[in-house]
Structure formats: structure tokens, C-alpha cells
Amino acid sequence: MSFSSIEAVSFRNLADGVIRTDTPSVFVVGDNGQGKTNFLDAIYTLCYGASFRGGSDADAARTGTQAWSVRGTNPDGSGCRVTWESGIKTIREDDKAIHDRKRLVERNPAIVFCHEDMEFARGEPERRRFFFDQTASLVSAGYIDLLRAYRRVLRARNVALRERSLDVLEVLDIQTVSYGLGLRDERARLSAEFDERFAPRYERVSLLGRRVGVSYRPSWRLEETKDDVLARLAASRDRELALGTSLSGPHRDRFVFVDERGDFSDRASTGQLRLLGLTLRIAQAEHYASVCGRHPILLLDDVLLELDPPKRRRFMENLPEADQAFFTFLPGEPYRDYATGSTVVYWTDDGRFSNT
């Protein structure tokens, strides 16, 4: 659901007040450090109850303050508000408290495109798992529950390994395998579907001339059954006890970007990796729309800056449909080339917004 207005109070460096956003496309133009990314972060916080920039909730409070709030109003008059005060965060939907952020995902799904997306292309396996877990969570509350359950039992299992609680481990092994195989199978289905969307999109934008796709490399092989995995855990018991940690499972899964020569990320240029990270977000938005029958909000934070003009044009042409899109630009960028008749352009200076 789109936002007709965004209100911020003591949120980062944004000036207190309401910003009208009742249009399909909003451009925010300004120099670095003037509030462009903070504005997108306010929207993201409304969508997920947390910042896409990391850090603590306290970091979002304007210097010298101990509280902040953001409120989004939807075109139908409904709205949501996220507040943080005295170390306590409260999320409310139409004045009704939300205790599980899964509800926000269902209400206002958003896809953020930012410089850090390049970590998915060239970063550690953990970052890629994060991306694909996020993609699955956008379309399935059940996946969120399954991931939470696996993480919970994995933590308990690692404690039992460190404490050498053998009787407890026998029980936790069964739970770990049950949740873990569920995750493995869900990730296998997701990667196959995602690959079919990602590969052609990347070729359209990059014009590389060869297919780059997604390959899922699970820690527990797809052909392994529950009994097979339990036997593997039993065989590795002594080593896991010595190290005090679980050595196999979905927390060790890998996602690899491959072409005809193998691991593409190992040989790709910086520009190719940057484009790969952005295309992952395009495919993520398309996957959400295909499964849920709705379009997400798109948040694009200075993502065109490091692309050459032809790639910028192709990237914009391949952006998926959106319920609403917010873009940030530096003043020297040709942002008007990407505007439509309904685009509203704001200039920001020290967190203050003016309409042009």
C-alpha cells in the first residue's frame, strides 16, 4: 500500500513535519548528508519497524534527543506509526499495537536498492543467505516462522554442545533436522523460481552475452533424508563437541552466481557486480508481485550514480512495477530524464524539504 504522507519527529536529521507523497513517483534531490537517505529510511522503518542502515534504534534519534517517531498515512486514511522513547519501540497500526513485525511485511512491503546491495554479489555467504531469506519472508509468514524456529533450536543445540549435554543433544538433533530440512526444501524451491526471473533480467541490463544464474548449494544435500542427516550429525558428534558449534545445516548453505565458466562473482568486474546487486532487487520485487499479486514500494538510494548512461537507461527500463517509488539523486544527475508527468520532485537541505 502506498503512502500519501510521511511525518517525522526527531528522526535522524529530518526536520519535524509532514511531507506529502500522494503520487506514484517521488524524487528527492540534494547533496550528501542533507537527509535523502534518512527520508528513505523513515519509509523503510514504517514498512519493517527497523532501519535498513543497521545500528540501534537509539542511532535514529536526532542529536540531543531521546525519542523519535515516524508516521505514514495511506490513501484510504489508514496509517501506521513507529515510535521509540526511553529505549522502548512501539509499532501501531491505526492505533492498534503490533507485536510481531510480520504484520508490517503484509501491510507495506518495500524493496530497497542501495549501495550495500553489492555485498550480496561479492560478499560473504551469510549476506547472500540474508538476501534469499528476506526474499522468502516477503511472501511467506510461514517461512519467517520456520526460520525463527531453526535459529532458536540451533542456538540451543550450540549451547548443549558447549555444555556437552549428550541427552539434550539427541532431542535437539531431531528438532534441528526437522526445521532444517524444511528450510532447505523451501530455499531450493525459491532459488529455482528466482533464477528464472533473475537471469534474463541481468542479461537485459548488462548485455553480457551469456547467462548468469543462481545456484543453491545446501549444506545438507537435496537427496539426503531425515535419517541421512541424523546419521551425519551422529558421525560428526565428537568434532562438534570439541569445537562447541554445529558444523552443518542451513546456516552453512551457500548461494552462488554462476555462468558457463563457474562462479561468476570471482571473475566479474566491479561494475558487473554492482549491476548484479541491483538486478537481485529487481528480481526480488518481481518475485513478490508474482506470488502475492501485489506490487511493493520501491526505495532507490542513489543507485544510478555509478552506472554509465547506457546501463542507467536499461536499468530504469527494467524496473518492475511498483505501488509507489521513491528515488534519491545528487543535484548534478539528470534526474528529470527519468521523471514522468506524475513525479513530484523535492529538494532537501539539512533535512528540510521544498517542492519544485
Side-chain angles (χ1 to χ4, degrees):
M1 189 180 298
S2 62
F3 291 107
S4 56
S5 68
I6 304 293
E7 179 182 11
V9 177
S10 297
F11 187 83
R12 300 192 183 273
N13 76 332
L14 298 182
D16 294 351
V18 177
I19 301 170
R20 301 296 307 177
T21 59
D22 49 351
T23 183
S25 176
V26 178
F27 288 3
V28 181
V29 185
D31 290 320
N32 290 329
Q34 301 306 307
K36 304 190 306 294
T37 300
N38 289 340
F39 178 64
L40 297 190
D41 198 34
I43 299 170
Y44 191 90
T45 299
L46 287 168
C47 294
Y48 296 115
S51 169
F52 71 80
R53 306 176 70 181
S56 68
D57 292 324
D59 294 335
R62 185 187 302 145
T63 302
T65 65
Q66 300 297 320
W68 55 261
S69 72
V70 289
R71 177 178 176 82
T73 302
N74 304 117
D76 62 2
S78 63
C80 57
R81 181 191 295 270
V82 182
T83 62
W84 180 83
E85 185 173 6
S86 301
I88 299 174
K89 180 163 60 182
T90 304
I91 305 172
R92 305 190 73 85
E93 178 185 33
D94 296 330
D95 293 326
K96 181 179 179 180
I98 294 177
H99 301 291
D100 192 325
R101 288 189 296 168
K102 287 191 299 184
R103 172 57 187 157
L104 289 180
V105 177
E106 297 168 359
R107 177 188 176 94
N108 292 314
I111 308 293
V112 61
F113 297 69
C114 62
H115 179 77
E116 288 73 18
D117 291 345
M118 194 168 173
E119 295 178 7
F120 304 138
R122 69 177 181 188
E124 296 299 317
E126 180 181 6
R127 294 301 298 155
R128 295 181 184 178
R129 287 194 297 270
F130 171 85
F131 173 82
F132 285 100
D133 284 339
Q134 183 186 67
T135 301
S137 297
L138 279 170
V139 302
S140 172
Y143 187 90
I144 297 175
D145 292 336
L146 185 60
L147 184 62
R148 287 173 176 175
Y150 177 76
R151 288 173 173 171
R152 183 173 61 250
V153 74
L154 180 65
R155 287 193 298 269
R157 188 174 188 273
N158 286 337
V159 170
L161 284 168
R162 290 191 294 271
E163 296 178 351
R164 306 183 71 84
S165 302
L166 300 184
D167 291 342
V168 175
L169 280 171
E170 290 185 8
V171 176
L172 291 176
D173 280 356
I174 296 172
Q175 296 177 3
T176 301
V177 172
S178 176
Y179 294 131
L181 289 180
L183 274 182
R184 182 200 64 182
D185 294 344
E186 288 296 322
R187 287 175 175 176
R189 280 190 288 269
L190 170 65
S191 63
E193 295 173 4
F194 195 89
D195 175 74
E196 293 302 314
R197 294 187 175 88
F198 169 80
R201 280 295 182 191
Y202 187 69
E203 174 57 23
R204 288 182 202 133
V205 180
S206 69
L207 299 183
L208 189 63
R210 62 182 185 273
R211 191 183 196 278
V212 177
V214 179
S215 176
Y216 176 47
R217 311 282 176 82
S219 173
W220 296 337
R221 296 185 302 275
L222 292 178
E223 64 270 19
E224 287 187 291
T225 67
K226 179 178 179 180
D227 288 341
D228 293 332
V229 177
L230 285 172
R232 181 200 281 207
L233 294 183
S236 63
R237 179 76 83 220
D238 289 343
R239 187 169 176 229
E240 288 189 328
L241 285 169
L243 295 174
T245 192
S246 300
L247 298 177
S248 68
H251 61 291
R252 300 269 179 154
D253 286 354
R254 297 174 63 237
F255 292 88
V256 183
F257 304 109
V258 296
D259 63 5
E260 59 195 15
R261 296 169 54 192
D263 192 330
F264 176 72
S265 299
D266 286 345
R267 292 173 281 100
S269 68
T270 298
Q272 289 169 336
L273 290 173
R274 190 174 307 284
L275 205 57
L276 191 152
L278 295 176
T279 309
L280 284 172
R281 290 301 193 184
I282 291 176
Q284 187 179 58
E286 290 182 330
H287 179 74
Y288 173 83
S290 175
V291 174
C292 298
R294 299 169 51 199
H295 298 295
I297 295 171
L298 302 184
L299 308 173
L300 298 99
D301 189 22
D302 283 342
V303 296
L304 301 181
L305 190 59
E306 297 184 29
L307 300 179
D308 61 46
K311 286 189 175 67
R312 289 185 183 190
R313 176 180 53 78
R314 293 196 297 271
F315 173 76
M316 293 296 289
E317 289 173 351
N318 280 276
L319 275 180
E321 289 187 59
D323 206 7
Q324 193 172 27
F326 296 84
F327 298 76
T328 67
F329 296 96
L330 290 172
E333 294 185 80
Y335 60 89
R336 294 194 183 279
D337 293 348
Y338 315 120
T340 66
S342 61
T343 300
V344 170
V345 178
Y346 283 105
W347 283 75
T348 180
D349 181 29
D350 196 24
R352 295 178 174 81
F353 285 66
S354 59
N355 183 227
T356 61

